[in-house]
Amino acid sequence: MEDDEERVTLFDVVYGRKSEKVVLQQLTMVAQVPSDAADRTELGARYENLITQLTKQHRLGCGITGLLLIYPTCLLHIIEASEYLLDCFLNELRAMQEQPDCKLLEAKVAFMWHSLEGRQFQQWSYKVLTADQINQNPLFTTLEKVEESVETVVCRVLTQLQELVMHLKTSKELPGAILDNKPELLNPPAVLEQLLDRDELLSPQQYLQMYHSPLNICIDFGQVNLRSFF
């Protein structure tokens, strides 16, 4: 018979795996940006500087990976990191938006993926999309405006991103280079702009407020009145 001290339970295995690695999360965000091309290039460099600073400040973290796509009128940002680093990123983003020279306008958190099993992007990178890449895409020009639920629109965005991720797994190129050759993998800007108009989605400020707010737990919940049994 095995000794009790040598037995390993399922809880020990799961807890051991969780303690050995940092649990990844993935944030998908959309935001409105100015239409000036120079401002959009500056915005990309500003994001890159922010990601670099966060990585240097938190060397013990799991690092930051993801993709920033800057359209002529909006942006789509996917960022993968630990819960703590994502919290730091959103706080820095909020501070950035409060600055007078901020180039980032309204923003919405489209999706937060908790306990990501593995990274979908090997590094963080950004790409500024030109007006020609958008206007000459036949999939965008034939897109009809249809009133859809916010869940449907978010699923459309995430499905298109998964198509890009599948191509990344079989290619050594950066996402920007793949999108140059396969523009059909891009999410239509009209779809992203729909998310900016949906009140169901939270802004980064609202998300942080909800994240840091304590849960209102009723202390009477779960208590049993013994007199009810008599």
Side-chain angles (χ1 to χ4, degrees):
M1 182 179 294
E2 296 181 358
D3 189 80
D4 291 341
E5 295 182 356
E6 297 180 355
R7 294 180 181 177
V8 179
T9 66
L10 179 61
F11 174 80
D12 295 329
V13 175
V14 175
Y15 181 78
R17 290 178 180 176
K18 291 292 185 181
S19 60
E20 290 176 359
K21 65 179 182 180
V22 178
V23 179
L24 286 173
Q25 295 187 352
Q26 186 185 86
L27 167 72
T28 303
M29 184 187 72
V30 294
Q32 184 182 6
V33 298
S35 57
D36 189 283
D39 288 341
R40 291 190 296 121
T41 302
E42 180 185 346
L43 180 62
R46 198 166 185 175
Y47 264 103
E48 186 175 40
N49 183 51
L50 172 59
I51 296 297
T52 302
Q53 288 183 351
L54 288 176
T55 304
K56 290 182 179 180
Q57 292 173 2
H58 308 283
R59 294 181 180 274
L60 298 179
C62 61
I64 298 176
T65 55
L67 175 65
L68 171 63
L69 297 176
I70 306 179
Y71 291 74
T73 58
C74 59
L75 65 79
L76 175 63
H77 196 180
I78 306 96
I79 179 171
E80 302 168 336
S82 65
E83 180 181 7
Y84 175 72
L85 273 177
L86 282 181
D87 184 43
C88 293
F89 169 78
L90 289 175
N91 275 296
E92 291 293 336
L93 179 64
R94 178 177 59 181
M96 182 190 301
Q97 285 184 290
E98 294 175 352
Q99 297 179 6
D101 59 340
C102 178
K103 304 299 182 181
L104 181 64
L105 304 179
E106 183 180 3
K108 291 291 181 68
V109 175
F111 190 75
M112 178 70 78
W113 190 349
H114 299 277
S115 301
L116 192 65
E117 293 184 359
R119 294 184 184 274
Q120 297 184 336
F121 299 90
Q122 296 304 313
Q123 63 187 75
W124 187 91
S125 61
Y126 79 92
K127 181 175 181 59
V128 178
L129 301 170
T130 64
D132 290 339
Q133 288 177 294
I134 304 301
N135 298 332
Q136 296 178 4
N137 193 321
L139 296 178
F140 298 168
T141 56
T142 59
L143 183 66
E144 297 181 1
K145 292 186 178 180
V146 181
E147 190 67 26
E148 297 175 312
S149 66
V150 65
E151 293 84 2
T152 301
V153 180
V154 170
C155 285
R156 289 180 61 185
V157 173
L158 296 180
T159 300
Q160 198 74 355
L161 287 174
Q162 285 303 308
E163 291 289 336
L164 174 60
V165 170
M166 294 302 295
H167 281 78
L168 288 174
K169 291 181 178 180
T170 58
S171 175
K172 296 182 179 180
E173 294 181 317
L174 290 175
I178 294 179
L179 292 174
D180 285 338
N181 298 324
K182 294 184 177 293
E184 64 272 15
L185 297 177
L186 285 169
N187 269 286
V191 175
L192 302 179
E193 291 170 359
Q194 286 185 42
L195 295 178
L196 291 172
D197 297 331
R198 305 309 290 260
D199 296 332
E200 298 94 326
L201 298 179
L202 300 178
S203 67
Q205 293 85 349
Q206 291 171 329
Y207 182 87
L208 283 173
Q209 183 178 1
M210 182 184 68
Y211 177 81
H212 291 289
S213 296
L215 296 176
N216 296 321
I217 302 176
C218 178
I219 61 176
D220 294 332
F221 181 77
Q223 294 184 356
V224 178
N225 185 1
L226 297 180
R227 293 183 180 180
S228 60
F229 290 95
F230 300 98

